[in-house]
Amino acid sequence: MSKELIRLAGCTMAFDDEIVLNKIELSIQDKEFLTLLGPSGCGKSTTLRIIGGFLSPTSGDVLFDGNRINDVPPYKRMVNTVFQRYALFPHLNVFENVAFGLRMGETVIEEQDGKQVRRKVKIPEEEIQSRVMEMLEIVNLGGFEKRRINQLSGGQQQRVAIARALVNRPKVLLLDEPLGALDLKLRKDMQNELKRIQKAMEITFVYVTHDQEEALAMSDTIVVMDKGSIQQVGTPEDIYNEPKNAFVADFIGESNIIDGIMRADGVVEIFNRKFQCLDGGFAKDEAVDVVIRPEDVDIVPVDQGQLKGTVTSVTFKGMQYDIIVDFYGFKWLIQTTDLCPVGSTIGIKIDPDGIHVMKKSRYSGMFGDYSSYSEEYDEINESQEGWDDEK
Amino acid sequence: MKSKLSWFSVPYVIWMAIVVVVPILIMAVYSVTTAEGALTGENFVGMGDYAGVFLRSFRLAIIATLVCLLIGYPVSYWMAKEGLRFQRVAMALIMLPMWMNFLLRTYSWMSILENHGLLNQFFQKVGIIGLYNSLTGQSIEYFTMLRTPGAVVLGMVYNYLPFMILPIYSVILKLDVSLLEAAQDLGASGAQVFRKVILPLSLPGVLSGVTMVFVPSVSTFAISRLLGGGTQMMLGDLIEQQFLGGAYNPHLGAAISMVMMVIVVVCMAVMNHFGEGEEQAVML
């Protein structure tokens, strides 16, 4: 049974009159890999900075092991951060960068008169030496200790940043989009590397990213955020398969989101046709959002299809074709390995487990229509390039 | 691209050659010749007589530089930490005196520091001089401020302080905030962040500030003449006398200039050597 390590209780953060975080409730378990996922400006970095101690919430409490730590300054917290752009000290070499935290001494928490007192204890030089060398080995940087920071590649700097944080043996490691500056190949390698380190060190990682693939690949728990609120918390499978609202469905992977009416448990009506589904518990004739993932649509001959539509665009993506199909004026994205030429009419079939029904939310009608597919595609690319726009 | 750039740099190179290299060469030739044009080392040999002037020049320039640093660093740090509006106002206040002529400003200090000048009148009015007299049992009418080494240092600090503040300020301003956060995150308290991160990373600014204050200070002649009133002769005055003054001897003047230049260049080279690593780091 895992135990709770950090709790954010009703944390609100406001800068001037702008509310950046709105009463968020979040529980982080010991030794888990938790990812805060969301678009730029959703409040994920702010949440991380609150845990790190760089911001104090306007209202609400931050609890660490059950103790309130709102007013504990960053240098006395048992968390360390890997910063977005590494923030390595340019005037120190690799060894001294990693040793920085150890030279500042170790924080010890003592009970005194029933109150917690945090004290710094000096670490002997031999221990600093051995811990730094050991950590450099762990991040595969043995032999680099005398190098200057500007002599390192982006990936190596990333490793130094991770070593510099981990050498202090924090209870929690906070990572703020740490892989954003790396190229795709290196990013994939580092994802595995981070996961390996997290397993080996047995500590909690709180990871901030806007990259849903990264989140799905690495996390034990994903927290999807938007506009300062938590939209959904769950395992990667939960989040992908059972999105709670249109925002989550759209943000995690590609989704066609269609208006539907729940006729009965297990029966949803789309485009005036009844479909079998696995969802239930809705009121009779309740208006709902229906999510259909592009890969869950089977293309069949027109006469066997549950719906028929016209292909309006085809994009070759290597593993599959992304085709846009017009169904009665509503455009769907379908991923298929069969080539369907533009202008052809196709039939589709959707299995009951490919249909996911969600309650209407404030996000209804905002996502999931591929009428302007190319625009949305650009947006996705932009948000990946624009990782550094967010402070 | 590279060849194009070097083409554009030709006028600059020619200009620098005419106004920097050629004059230095002329000086070098002057310093080792006599008025008749014969080669001689006498100009350098006779310089020992002026050891006192050398010492005073370097001593006062070093003191002025240190005072500028002691005032300039905290001011720069404080400015860089404040909001943008404060920075603009502070910058305007620092630059404002520089819009006025340098000699005019120094003359103003004369009338402030004079025996019956503004400051002494003020001291008289508020009774500080009376208090001093009653405390020490003396009966002075004024504090002697003009024509002292202190006045010369004051003049240097007043005139060159902006050259200390500006480079330090711009280096601190450009410091990456995330470096400071990283230091805190790793357990450094406020004082430790300053000592371990801000101070070493602002050294390049300190070095250029020190250079920009020390070099004009050590070679000044107007400040020492006006505020030192002839009692505080410095190298600049000495050299000026050899060229324009009564002691007309451009060959000796050139020799003194050469020696001063060598000492200054050596000082700067040593200092920059210490700062080299940091400089590189900040280039990153």
Side-chain angles (χ1 to χ4, degrees), chain B residues 5-37:
Chain B
L5 271 181
S6 58
W7 178 244
F8 277 120
S9 71
V10 167
Y12 174 77
V13 171
I14 293 175
W15 178 253
M16 289 304 279
I18 294 173
V19 301
V20 177
V21 181
V22 172
I24 289 178
L25 288 179
I26 294 174
M27 294 284 280
V29 171
Y30 258 69
S31 68
V32 291
T33 51
T34 62
E36 290 73 40

Side-chain angles (χ1 to χ4, degrees), chain B residues 2-3 8 54 71 79 86 88 93 110 160 166 193 199 236 260-261 264:
Chain B
K2 196 170 177 239
S3 63
F8 277 120
F54 269 90
I71 300 173
M79 266 171 68
F86 178 88
R88 282 211 198 102
L93 286 177
M110 283 177 73
Y160 302 131
L166 292 180
V193 172
L199 195 59
M260 188 176 88
M261 196 175 83
V264 169

Side-chain angles (χ1 to χ4, degrees), chain A residues 108-124:
Chain A
V108 227
I109 300 182
E110 286 166 349
E111 293 283 332
Q112 238 173 53
D113 310 328
K115 275 174 78 183
Q116 279 200 341
V117 180
R118 285 159 199 262
R119 208 160 53 84
K120 289 271 178 193
V121 177
K122 206 169 177 317
I123 301 174

Side-chain angles (χ1 to χ4, degrees), chain A residues 125-142:
Chain A
E125 185 63 28
E126 307 86 71
E127 191 188 335
I128 292 178
Q129 293 280 338
S130 68
R131 274 170 74 173
V132 171
M133 295 314 250
E134 182 192 17
M135 190 46 71
L136 285 174
E137 287 301 330
I138 289 179
V139 298
N140 293 327
L141 279 178

Side-chain angles (χ1 to χ4, degrees), chain B residues 149-167:
Chain B
V152 177
V153 170
L154 174 78
M156 291 174 178
V157 170
Y158 171 73
N159 278 304
Y160 302 131
L161 186 60
F163 299 112
M164 182 66 84
I165 293 178
L166 292 180

Side-chain angles (χ1 to χ4, degrees), chain B residues 22-245:
Chain B
V22 172
I24 289 178
L25 288 179
I26 294 174
M27 294 284 280
V29 171
Y30 258 69
S31 68
V32 291
T33 51
T34 62
E36 290 73 40
L39 214 57
T40 175
E42 217 162 290
N43 294 327
F44 290 96
V45 177
M47 219 178 290
D49 301 347
Y50 303 108
V53 181
F54 269 90
L55 276 179
R56 182 186 297 122
S57 283
F58 279 89
R59 199 182 71 229
L60 293 185
I62 289 170
I63 293 172
T65 309
L66 286 179
V67 173
C68 279
L69 186 60
L70 287 178
I71 300 173
Y73 198 99
V75 170
S76 316
Y77 184 75
W78 174 48
M79 266 171 68
K81 293 286 149 204
E82 288 290 328
L84 207 62
R85 268 184 55 170
F86 178 88
Q87 288 181 19
R88 282 211 198 102
V89 172
M91 189 56 78
L93 286 177
I94 288 168
M95 300 301 287
L96 206 60
M98 296 176 78
W99 295 353
M100 217 177 11
N101 182 277
F102 163 77
L103 281 175
L104 215 59
R105 279 180 284 151
T106 310
Y107 272 115
S108 317
W109 272 112
M110 283 177 73
S111 66
I112 292 173
L113 297 177
E114 256 174 332
N115 294 347
H116 298 289
L118 278 176
L119 208 52
N120 271 320
Q121 283 178 25
F122 172 74
F123 288 153
Q124 188 82 55
K125 287 253 159 58
V126 294
I128 288 180
I129 290 179
L131 185 72
Y132 177 84
N133 283 341
S134 62
L135 281 179
T136 58
Q138 294 173 343
S139 61
I140 57 165
E141 286 171 42
Y142 49 76
F143 293 115
T144 310
M145 290 180 284
L146 204 58
R147 285 176 282 278
T148 59
V152 177
V153 170
L154 174 78
M156 291 174 178
V157 170
Y158 171 73
N159 278 304
Y160 302 131
L161 186 60
F163 299 112
M164 182 66 84
I165 293 178
L166 292 180
I168 299 177
Y169 163 74
S170 65
V171 168
I172 294 181
L173 197 64
K174 272 188 278 177
L175 273 187
D176 189 349
V177 182
S178 68
L179 288 180
L180 313 186
E181 287 187 350
Q184 287 179 48
D185 184 76
L186 292 164
S189 61
Q192 283 171 320
V193 172
F194 180 79
R195 217 173 57 238
K196 301 279 182 182
V197 180
I198 298 176
L199 195 59
L201 286 178
S202 58
L203 266 191
V206 172
L207 284 180
S208 54
V210 165
T211 309
M212 284 165 73
V213 171
F214 180 72
V215 172
S217 294
V218 78
S219 59
T220 184
F221 62 94
I223 295 175
S224 50
R225 168 125 41 88
L226 295 179
L227 300 178
T231 65
Q232 304 297 327
M233 184 145 93
M234 291 184 54
L235 280 173
D237 306 290
L238 186 60
I239 294 167
E240 194 215 5
Q241 277 183 7
Q242 309 307 317
F243 285 94
L244 303 169

